[in-house]
Amino acid sequence: MTQELAPDVHDRSAGRHTGWWRSAVIYQVYVRSFADGNGDGNGDLPGARARLPYLKDLGVDAVWLTPFYASPQADGGYDVADYRAVDPMFGTLTDIDDLVRDAHALDLRVIVDLVPNHCSDQHEWFKQALREGPGSPLRERFHFRPGKGEQGELPPNDWNSLFGGPAWTRVEAEGDGEWFLHLFAPEQPDFNWEHPAVRDEFRSILRFWLDLGVDGFRIDVAHGLVKAAGLPDIGHNVEMGLLNTDELPFFDQDGVHEIYRDWRSILDEYPGERIAVAEAWTPTLERSARYLRPDELHQAFNFEYVMAGWDAAELRRIIDETLAAMAPVDAPATWVLSNHDVVRHRTRYGSLPRARAAALLMLALPGSTYLYQGEELGLPEVTDLPDSVRQDPSFFRDNGQEGLRDGCRVPIPWGGDRPSYGFGASEGSWLPQPARWQDLSVQAQTGDPGSTLELYRAALRLRRELPGLGDGELEWLEAPEGVLAFARPGFVCTVNLGAAEAEMAAPGEVALSSEPVVVRGGLVRIPADSCIWWAV
Ligand code: GLC
């Protein structure tokens, strides 16, 4: 079985150039919505495996798979009941083993999601802790506390869940009445990372997946594991949500770094540069960089970039601040525009031309980049899902984040002219697809030079061919109002974020552009909301 594989069975990369991740383009597969191999309406591992050639052809370096572990799916699989098992909805251990093997044969790396802040309330440890009652040593692996108030009827402190409501739930059983902490849904109890058994367990989980051959981990809520000693009150009202970057007693505590130094030493024991990328929402980019010190993690998503508007000055400021923050720790910037938690950037920025320009801009910046499935098709957010099909747990709880994360998780259209557009569902897909997605499908866009899919393919091809792209430096150039222009070795990028066409001297030969452009007499007119790549 999979567990018995020698550590390097899948490793075909040992001894190759170092630092692959510093320039990598990594494609996020939201497994349930990518491709459905068995027609039950849910994407799965065999479905994703069958689409690996598509990803190879697209030109990405690696794939990040969102959680496919045994889970009741209270929060899209981020509620893990067994970290070493595949949920039957997604397949089997053999399926993930096959997927990793095929990916490596295509020279694609595979990153899996690791969810260490909390588990599912159906995890064996938590079920046992509940059963054994107050005082049981098993409760120490979580945060159980007596309540406040005369009868213990009030939560132990004033923390709220990111999904809304208190971050504490009271155990109802007779003679119990303790409360347990959950920063997310009540079905996601937080682990107590001060407990050595928790630390040991995650070391073992890391090794389990590394032995199977995965190339790295995306660490869910990487900034949340360690809580301030004594679980102190915040003392004032904070608006909770994933995007919250206030200083809080349960986020970005200095103690998390010891955990990542430990994990880094495990990753480094394996051949082929296995990596970890942090999902860490921190108050500043400098705080993010702390996760990327040379003996800690490799990448951290740049959420300031995700949250920025379509605005030249704002983007330039964030780009500069990012590069300045990463330099002292010698880490690459990690750019991202969309993921499974935010509104798709086509909709956020307000138009397809902007989304296309934004993609070219991002892919020209120094560092690595994450793409979210469907952005290469220019998919918009689905904003009219009926409440009856929604699954986002925060939708069902008050005063938390807006609860609208289902709209970016609608299954991918691959081809055909009606739902499920080749996704594979024999009847309805788990979230319904809009009635007019046939023109956005992979099949419809393939071979159409004006399509967004072909734009991404061309951009990723050039990114591999032009030595100046990926990791490295950037130099800003003079540009008209609303235009950002920067040079990389042998390359220039110009993007017009203004409302009107802008004119400037052509800095080279057009290599790629998000809209048709005309260069005449050494001058280029850059359409509004467009980006041009120049070979110099
Ligand atoms: C991360 C995930 C999100 C999940 C949360 C709790 O932010 O990206 O989808 O709900 O963690 O695990």
Side-chain angles (χ1 to χ4, degrees), residues 28 30 64 66-67 74-79 113-118 162-163 183-185 188 218-223 242 279 281 301 303 339-341 392-394 401 405 409:
Q28 178 186 357
Y30 191 81
W64 150 31
T66 53
D75 179 24
Y78 286 96
D79 48 321
D113 224 306
L114 184 74
V115 190
N117 180 69
H118 46 264
L162 276 79
F163 291 161
L183 292 183
F184 295 88
Q188 294 169 292
R218 177 262 187 189
I219 301 168
D220 188 64
V221 196
H223 56 315
L242 258 189
E279 185 214 22
W281 298 83
F301 297 114
F303 290 121
N339 65 31
H340 64 296
D341 289 327
D392 184 349
S394 57
Q401 60 183 105
R405 295 181 300 168
R409 300 178 180 180

